Each structure stands twice: as structure tokens, then as C-alpha cells.
Amino acid sequence: MGRKVVDHLLIALGIMAGIIFMVYGIYFASILRGNPQAMEGEMGETFALWLNTEGKSGRLRLSLLLLGSLLLEGAYFILVFTLLHNPVMIILTLILAGEELLHVGVVINAVNKYWRGKIEAQQIFNWIIERVSAIFFFTHAFLVLVNILVVH
């Protein structure tokens, strides 16, 4: 890969890591304060309202949300594995990717239950796994940003 392409990909990775760091930082701070339940309740209610908005297919919206999440996470992991050659970052990325595979499996299982009418929309999210994912992603994104700034 040419240096110019690598530079552009590093910028893309930096932007993605920065967005992850900021978005998950809000949730991470709520977790650290010891009261993530309030934020999780609001997110669950908002998600249910969004999913059940009249005039549009909730199934289609939920499918697009899952697909978009998978594509963005896949792109993030591919960029990290392609651009960061630090053995510690590779190991941490493998751990995060494994946790995210578990997370995605749990969410897809819950979505299937929701579509079959066995659970409500607010029950799609397993908040313990969401917290673990948020902590991992926040920390990983921070380390990616540090790695980009220090090594590259």
C-alpha cells in the first residue's frame, strides 16, 4: 500500500476511533458513576419508540441497524488489523472482536425472539453485555487513538 493510502486509512481509523471514544465515553462515564440503569432505561424506551414508529417497518429499520452496525464494526476491526502492528493492540483487538461476536450473537437471538413476539423491544438489549462492550470499545478506541498519535 502506498503511503498516501495508508495516511488516508489512518485518518479514517482515527475518525472512527474518535467517534467511538466520544459516544461510548458518555455511557462509560455513566457506568463509572455507578448508575448506568437510568441511561439504559432512557435508551431502551427511545429504542422501543423508534422501532414502533408508525408508517415505517420496524423489521426493516432493525435489520438495517444491525447490518449497519456489523459493517461499521467490521470496517473498524479491518482497519485496526491492517494499520496497527503493535502486538498488544492486535491481542486486544482479537479479544474485543471475540466479545463483539458474542455480543452480536446475543442481540441477533434477542431480535429473533422480538420478531416472534416473545419479548418486548426494550428486552432486546442485555445491559450487562452492553456495559462490557461499551467499556471494551471505549478503552480500545482510546488506545487506538494513542497508538495513531504516538506511533504514526
Side-chain angles (χ1 to χ4, degrees):
M1 254 189 295
R3 186 69 205 159
K4 198 170 192 174
V5 171
V6 170
D7 289 344
H8 285 79
L9 291 175
L10 278 169
I11 290 169
L13 178 59
I15 290 169
M16 289 179 85
I19 291 169
I20 291 168
F21 181 75
M22 288 187 296
V23 169
Y24 279 109
I26 297 165
Y27 190 25
F28 184 75
S30 176
I31 294 168
L32 286 179
R33 279 189 230 110
N35 189 18
Q37 296 85 358
M39 184 175 184
E40 292 164 352
E42 288 180 34
M43 287 191 298
E45 288 176 24
T46 303
F47 176 73
L49 285 172
W50 173 78
L51 200 54
N52 296 316
T53 301
E54 290 185 36
K56 295 188 179 179
S57 168
R59 186 178 279 261
L60 176 62
R61 273 185 282 178
L62 189 51
S63 297
L64 290 174
L65 178 66
L66 286 171
L67 179 62
S69 296
L70 288 172
L71 291 174
L72 287 171
E73 286 182 14
Y76 178 76
F77 288 131
I78 288 169
L79 286 172
V80 170
F81 284 125
T82 303
L83 299 170
L84 304 183
H85 305 290
N86 177 333
V88 173
M89 285 305 300
I90 291 170
I91 291 168
L92 290 174
T93 305
L94 285 169
I95 292 168
L96 177 60
E99 186 275 333
E100 279 304 300
L101 280 174
L102 171 68
H103 180 209
V104 166
V106 169
V107 170
I108 288 173
N109 184 45
V111 165
N112 285 328
K113 287 180 183 178
Y114 170 73
W115 283 337
R116 289 185 306 220
K118 294 185 178 192
I119 63 171
E120 297 293 320
Q122 294 94 330
Q123 297 171 300
I124 289 174
F125 296 110
N126 178 321
W127 292 111
I128 293 171
I129 294 176
E130 295 299 329
R131 290 176 200 167
V132 170
S133 181
I135 292 167
F136 277 172
F137 254 121
F138 173 80
T139 304
H140 190 272
F142 173 74
L143 293 173
V144 165
L145 291 170
V146 168
N147 198 290
I148 290 171
L149 292 172
V150 172
V151 177
H152 296 283

